[in-house]
Amino acid sequence: MEENIPNPELLTAQLLAAEEILEEEEFHHLNNPAEGIKPIVKKYLGIPNHVEQIDNRFYFTDGDANVEVVVVTKTIIRVRLAPHSVFLEEFSYAVPELPQEAVEYSLFEDETEFRVSTELVNCHIRKQDFHISFSDNTGHVTSTDATPMHWEENVKFGGYYVFCTKECHNEESFFGLGDKATDFNLRGKRLKNWNTDAYSFNWNQDPLYRSIPFYISVNEGIAHGIFFDNTFKAHFDFGAEDATKTSFWADGGELQYYYIHGPHMMDVVKNYHILTGKHPMPPRWALGYHQCRWSYYPENKVRVIANGFRQNKIPCDGIYLDIDYMDGYRCFTWNRKYFPDPKKMISDLAANGFKTVVIIDPGIRVDDNYAVFKEGKENRYFCRRCDDYFMEGHVWPGRCQFPDFTNPEVRNWWGNLFDELVDYGVAGVWNDMNEPAVFGSGTFPDDVRHQYDGYRGSHRKAHNVYGMQMVRATYEGLRKQMKNKRPFTITRAGYAGVQRYSSVWTGDNVASWEHLRLGNIQLQRLSISGISFCGTDIGGFSGEPDGELFTRWIQLGSFSPFMRAHSAGDTKEREPWSFGEPFTSINRKFIELRYRLIPYLYSAFWEHYRYGFPILRPLVMHEQSEMANHFRQDEFTFGDKILVCPVLNPGQQSRNVYLPKGKWYDFWTLEMVDGGRELAVQTPLDIMPIFVKAGSVIPEYPVMQYTGEKDIEEVKLNIYYSDSDVRSFLFEDYGETFAYEQDIYLEKKFLVNGTADSLTIQQSMEGLYTPRYEGYHLKLNGLPFKPAKIIADGTEVKDIVFNKDKTYEFKFRKNFKKIEIFR
Ligand code: MIG
């Protein structure tokens, strides 16, 4: 008998071995069909011999297969393949609807090709071999098929493995793909999208928690993007197997991709946002510092930590409850021994300026005495296997079943389950384990069925969107129940478009310098892949950082759109004061800096929401024609005015920083430096290199212990002299409702420009919101002369403070139109 019981570890080993064999096969799918391994029915497109047009959709056929080319916008063209001419119904979680934009397009045909054109791009279909290529309106070709699109029949599940292979050029670089634990430039890499719980992941480990099948190519200084909207396990090869070819393929679904024209990377990212949406404005408090740990309990511990922040005068807005707040890890319950009166605790925390964020997992404990399970079971809300048996797996609560979040009815139910938490005053929800993660097996078996909003599929199709649909359910439920307040959500797993519902953190990283370097890259990459509201576990989730590593991480974290420290339960205390001096003071200095810059970050968020700009921008995005920038991955800008270069090595006393062309100011010394070169910067522990673009207006709030602690009496405007025109933004509103959707906001634009003996600052405004403060406190930095006269809206400003460091300060009313400073 004994021998018949499989040893679970052995089983896992066998499964892994089987998986590896599969990988081997996958490896050959691309260009060398693995003859002898399995019979493959592999078919390439033939010769396009017919075209049909229905409005902005063009259909090309070789007599069997059909290729659809859709003109989406002036610069976005979608390509879709139906192996035997029948297209699936159009449905996508990433692109809820195609942008409605009036575009002009035309079809052209000659002996060699068909061509679909807008005023800016052309899609060429070559008659000889069905190769598809794209060019701009000067005839410059940006993307060309290296082989015709092809497919292989999937005997087991039906459908096809689908493949697209394009030419890869010598100096072509690749960026994006959401979250990959590797160098910023993806050239030479082969990567896979399949959401995976990747505890303590390593450099180059792939895949991680999220799947964003979108990449940006930069070749000869011109950028284009490919968004392969396919939720199945997908693969990307950027010149890895064959340096002359770039391929992407998936284990099912349709071969469907969007070609997104540049020419600038910024155009590509903005257009990707037009397809997949943006982060809605977050509640302003969510831009503050957040403190997390697995787990703070019992209640008294939570209070001690919260008080610790106030005693140490370290600002903090959010405190998190990890899984131990629940009763036996049952979602939507409380462990009353640890938390006898959660409502009271949450309201006391709120009175002390803390928002409470709680974790939620998808696994629902199988337990007939547990209301959530009973309801889910009675309504058939849980996932089922192919033969209708329950999908069960072990996670924290023990044996669990899992809601099918791809069913709108289930999402609605799930959203309503938050009513009690909302009533208790919970301000945010942290969605974990939604890859989905299952102990032992890793995730659900392939045959699990999903409703998929009526476009049913197996787990092969739904796996990568499961987490996104979970956090969508959470977000939509909270939004409904919090009335008109902005919910705050955070998720581990996601698919393209997840930004519409949530912020994202990079999962279980490690307290190591390597992970600090990796985290810096991950956030930049997420940011250009649609997910601007992102952060790492500051300090590293597993393992122990020393004071230096933690402080360097806080410095980077101060410039992460989402700033949260988090640590595993088996680590030492990990609050910003846990390492003693000098660390505590330096941590405070940077967290305070974060709070001073909240109006700047909030404005950058608005630019993201309204215009589709990413919040973190890698260097290559500033100067994509500079080949060296394709490989510089440390520096980035936070918004478009502040350049940050984190210190990523222990004991580092100085480091080189590259600044894009133009003039910059050292944030700490106010020294003006010329960009377009690298410079050596001193980096003692209390300094991280920060530079401000000349001409910027950087708004600043007074330091508070939490956002909204005090009324703001005046806003400081730090003005950095420039001799060319530079525009800056300041966005303001109530910070917690959706009133901005009804134009209740104020968007201010500043235009700064200087000459050898004058500086002009103009302000224009849009929107219906009126902030409560009356005035600005203006500080002039880098003025090449001593001001003799300041004229503000026609009147002379009398009280000017002349500082020793040649900065000048004065006050004026907030609604000024024009201020002129003369030598
Ligand atoms: O299996 O809830 O990534 O942030 O603290 C571990 C406990 C489950 C994984 C998350 C981590 C969280 C932890 N969770």
Side-chain angles (χ1 to χ4, degrees):
M1 274 303 278
E2 282 281 286
E3 284 114 286
N4 289 338
I5 299 172
N7 172 342
E9 264 167 42
L10 207 71
L11 207 67
T12 314
Q14 283 164 354
L15 280 172
L16 283 176
E19 173 87 348
E20 262 161 40
I21 293 168
L22 200 76
E23 308 278 293
E24 276 289 295
E25 287 182 35
E26 285 168 359
F27 187 82
H28 292 287
H29 272 144
L30 177 50
N31 295 309
N32 326 301
E35 282 151 73
I37 292 187
K38 65 170 186 185
I40 294 171
V41 185
K42 184 181 174 114
K43 249 200 115 208
Y44 287 83
L45 281 173
I47 290 169
N49 52 34
H50 182 73
V51 58
E52 218 178 288
Q53 175 181 358
I54 305 172
D55 301 328
N56 59 338
R57 293 173 184 242
F58 299 84
Y59 295 89
F60 301 91
T61 174
D62 63 4
D64 180 14
N66 205 331
V67 172
E68 180 195 57
V69 171
V70 184
V71 175
V72 181
T73 70
K74 272 191 288 216
T75 55
I76 305 177
I77 292 194
R78 192 182 77 186
V79 173
R80 198 150 67 116
L81 164 74
H84 297 295
S85 281
V86 182
F87 291 98
L88 288 170
E89 301 86 355
E90 237 176 289
F91 174 76
S92 163
Y93 282 120
V95 185
E97 61 179 332
L98 291 178
Q100 303 296 319
E101 182 186 297
V103 208
E104 284 183 22
Y105 43 78
S106 58
L107 174 69
F108 168 90
E109 181 183 353
D110 67 12
E111 265 150 43
T112 59
E113 66 171 16
F114 297 101
R115 190 169 74 220
V116 175
S117 304
T118 71
E119 84 191 66
L120 295 175
V121 293
N122 308 296
C123 172
H124 308 260
I125 292 91
R126 194 156 78 180
K127 285 194 170 165
Q128 176 195 338
D129 49 14
F130 226 132
H131 281 193
I132 296 181
S133 60
F134 298 88
S135 65
D136 66 17
N137 60 0
T138 70
H140 181 93
V141 178
T142 49
S143 160
T144 312
D145 280 352
T147 59
M149 294 192 278
H150 85 268
W151 60 94
E152 294 170 10
E153 224 163 292
N154 183 334
V155 183
K156 191 165 161 199
F157 289 95
Y160 306 90
Y161 295 87
V162 291
F163 303 80
C164 184
T165 302
K166 300 192 170 287
E167 287 176 8
C168 178
H169 303 277
N170 271 342
E171 301 216 320
E172 192 169 0
S173 293
F174 300 91
F175 307 98
L177 274 198
D179 200 5
K180 297 292 170 193
T182 191
D183 292 315
F184 191 64
N185 189 337
L186 301 174
R187 171 74 198 224
K189 315 267 180 203
R190 171 177 285 208
L191 298 151
K192 179 160 54 184
N193 278 352
W194 183 253
N195 292 355
T196 302
D197 179 359
Y199 171 77
S200 288
F201 52 92
N202 295 311
W203 190 280
N204 280 336
Q205 183 171 324
D206 183 56
L208 301 181
Y209 305 86
R210 283 157 293 282
S211 297
I212 315 292
F214 162 62
Y215 70 83
I216 305 169
S217 139
V218 182
N219 187 40
E220 300 179 321
I222 295 184
H224 76 267
I226 296 288
F227 172 38
F228 179 30
D229 188 9
N230 180 308
T231 61
F232 285 76
K233 186 181 282 177
H235 314 257
F236 294 82
D237 185 305
F238 301 107
E241 183 181 326
D242 176 342
T244 66
K245 295 191 176 87
T246 298
S247 310
F248 48 92
W249 65 103
D251 293 3
E254 276 185 329
L255 178 43
Q256 164 179 261
Y257 68 90
Y258 294 81
Y259 169 85
I260 306 173
H261 192 69
H264 199 281
M265 280 177 80
M266 188 60 90
D267 303 316
V268 179
V269 174
K270 283 165 72 175
N271 281 307
Y272 172 75
H273 277 297
I274 287 178
L275 292 172
T276 62
K278 302 155 197 162
H279 291 281
M281 288 301 286
R284 193 167 40 222
W285 68 264
L287 301 182
Y289 175 76
H290 302 220
Q291 183 66 38
C292 186
R293 180 160 172 85
W294 179 12
S295 294
Y296 288 133
Y297 72 89
E299 169 180 330
N300 189 48
K301 177 77 184 175
V302 181
R303 291 179 185 271
V304 166
I305 297 295
N307 290 333
F309 277 92
R310 301 303 178 235
Q311 276 151 16
N312 284 289
K313 293 244 165 307
I314 296 179
C316 183
D317 264 277
I319 194 150
Y320 284 59
L321 302 181
D322 204 327
I323 47 177
D324 298 287
Y325 80 88
M326 304 179 206
D327 175 17
Y329 306 127
R330 289 171 187 80
C331 290
F332 308 103
T333 67
W334 286 83
N335 180 322
R336 296 282 168 173
K337 202 171 104 213
Y338 297 149
F339 297 94
D341 190 351
K343 193 168 183 172
K344 171 94 173 36
M345 178 189 74
I346 293 169
S347 85
D348 289 351
L349 286 168
N352 202 5
F354 288 91
K355 302 286 192 289
T356 303
V357 179
V358 299
I359 199 168
I360 217 81
D361 284 1
I364 299 298
R365 188 187 161 92
V366 175
D367 171 359
D368 280 318
N369 297 316
Y370 167 37
V372 178
F373 176 73
K374 267 180 63 186
E375 261 177 58
K377 179 178 157 188
E378 278 162 22
N379 294 297
R380 301 177 57 101
Y381 286 158
F382 298 120
C383 295
R384 302 271 184 121
R385 303 293 300 266
C386 60
D387 290 329
D388 218 27
Y389 201 73
F390 310 112
M391 154 63 213
E392 293 195 340
H394 283 258
V395 237
W396 291 106
R399 193 151 66 91
C400 285
Q401 294 191 13
F402 301 81
D404 181 9
F405 294 108
T406 69
N407 179 341
E409 202 185 321
V410 175
R411 287 198 297 271
N412 190 47
W413 167 68
W414 180 262
N416 289 335
L417 293 173
F418 288 94
D419 59 350
E420 188 183 77
L421 289 169
V422 170
D423 173 55
Y424 285 4
V426 161
V429 175
W430 170 23
N431 296 250
D432 191 18
M433 305 288 279
N434 52 355
E435 291 71 30
V438 176
F439 292 162
S441 60
T443 191
F444 297 177
D446 280 345
D447 69 279
V448 168
R449 290 157 20 189
H450 294 271
Q451 200 262 3
Y452 215 95
D453 279 71
Y455 301 89
R456 291 173 301 268
S458 73
H459 196 62
R460 298 168 66 249
K461 172 171 157 183
H463 177 81
N464 283 337
V465 296
Y466 186 84
M468 171 191 187
Q469 296 311 305
M470 174 187 176
V471 72
R472 172 186 182 181
T474 303
Y475 180 81
E476 288 173 348
L478 291 175
R479 183 161 175 171
K480 212 161 57 189
Q481 292 172 45
M482 292 168 76
K483 306 290 180 296
N484 193 31
K485 271 199 175 168
R486 300 173 201 169
F488 172 68
T489 42
I490 144 170
T491 181
R492 198 167 70 173
Y495 179 72
V498 66
Q499 68 269 15
R500 299 194 300 271
Y501 314 112
S502 188
S503 68
V504 160
W505 96 105
T506 58
D508 296 339
N509 61 358
V510 181
S512 68
W513 289 92
E514 184 178 68
H515 263 271
L516 177 61
R517 290 190 278 276
L518 191 52
N520 179 33
I521 297 170
Q522 287 177 282
L523 298 186
Q524 294 181 57
R525 181 157 28 237
L526 281 165
S527 191
I528 65 165
S529 308
I531 302 175
S532 267
F533 200 11
C534 55
T536 61
D537 282 353
I538 292 172
F541 179 70
S542 60
E544 301 288 351
D546 59 11
E548 184 190 3
L549 175 58
F550 186 79
T551 291
R552 290 303 194 190
W553 215 316
I554 283 279
Q555 293 174 349
L556 173 65
S558 301
F559 293 88
S560 299
F562 171 53
M563 184 184 191
R564 183 186 75 156
H566 182 39
S567 48
D570 57 356
T571 58
K572 291 193 208 126
E573 308 258 280
R574 188 92 69 79
E575 289 77 46
W577 58 84
S578 302
F579 301 91
E581 291 298 345
F583 308 107
T584 304
S585 298
I586 304 174
N587 296 339
R588 180 187 302 112
K589 165 177 159 177
F590 277 86
I591 296 173
E592 285 181 347
L593 175 59
R594 165 77 170 204
Y595 276 75
R596 283 161 56 192
L597 292 175
I598 277 183
Y600 172 81
L601 173 57
Y602 195 55
S603 303
F605 219 116
W606 173 253
E607 285 183 79
H608 166 79
Y609 168 77
R610 183 162 189 189
Y611 305 104
F613 290 111
I615 297 177
L616 301 183
R617 308 176 192 182
L619 273 186
V620 61
M621 207 155 202
H622 292 272
E623 289 177 347
Q624 68 187 35
S625 300
E626 293 288 321
M627 204 56 203
N629 284 343
H630 295 206
F631 300 93
R632 287 194 171 103
Q633 52 190 16
D634 289 357
E635 304 93 324
F636 59 88
T637 64
F638 179 68
D640 71 335
K641 299 292 191 291
I642 299 180
L643 182 135
V644 174
C645 187
V647 178
L648 304 167
N649 289 296
Q652 192 158 6
Q653 291 302 314
S654 80
R655 69 154 300 158
N656 279 5
V657 178
Y658 174 84
L659 297 175
K661 290 185 197 74
K663 294 194 185 331
W664 297 83
Y665 290 88
D666 182 315
F667 175 79
W668 305 106
T669 65
L670 297 180
E671 186 196 347
M672 192 177 83
V673 287
D674 280 312
R677 67 192 175 106
E678 277 192 18
L679 60 156
V681 182
Q682 297 303 303
T683 54
L685 189 59
D686 65 335
I687 294 290
M688 171 175 66
I690 301 173
F691 291 85
V692 181
K693 199 184 262 176
S696 300
V697 175
I698 307 288
E700 205 180 283
Y701 281 171
V703 171
M704 295 191 194
Q705 296 308 300
Y706 54 93
T707 56
E709 183 194 14
K710 295 178 203 133
D711 282 343
I712 289 163
E713 275 158 21
E714 62 185 14
V715 169
K716 191 167 175 193
L717 297 182
N718 292 291
I719 296 153
Y720 294 84
Y721 172 87
S722 159
D723 57 9
S724 56
D725 288 9
V726 177
R727 208 177 287 278
S728 302
F729 276 97
L730 172 57
F731 173 80
E732 297 174 295
D733 74 350
Y734 292 108
E736 55 175 21
T737 70
F738 286 93
Y740 66 89
E741 291 176 348
Q742 267 78 50
D743 292 348
I744 317 285
Y745 64 81
L746 196 58
E747 181 185 291
K748 298 173 177 170
K749 282 194 193 89
F750 301 103
L751 179 65
V752 167
N753 86 8
T755 66
D757 30 43
S758 74
L759 179 70
T760 311
I761 307 144
Q762 283 163 280
Q763 179 179 238
S764 61
M765 294 182 224
E766 176 197 306
L768 304 172
Y769 171 76
T770 312
R772 290 236 210 95
Y773 63 87
E774 288 305 324
Y776 288 139
H777 172 161
L778 299 94
K779 183 172 181 223
L780 305 171
N781 303 295
L783 218 58
F785 53 83
K786 188 172 167 187
K789 200 185 210 175
I790 297 181
I791 306 287
D793 285 348
T795 52
E796 186 167 355
V797 175
K798 286 286 184 253
D799 295 323
I800 307 173
V801 180
F802 294 81
N803 294 317
K804 280 210 202 74
D805 63 356
K806 300 205 170 126
T807 60
Y808 311 100
E809 298 177 52
F810 61 96
K811 300 191 176 191
F812 200 68
R813 61 165 185 264
K814 68 181 176 196
N815 291 338
F816 80 83
K817 291 217 162 52
K818 186 174 183 182
I819 298 181
E820 290 164 293
I821 297 126
F822 299 100
R823 180 194 286 266

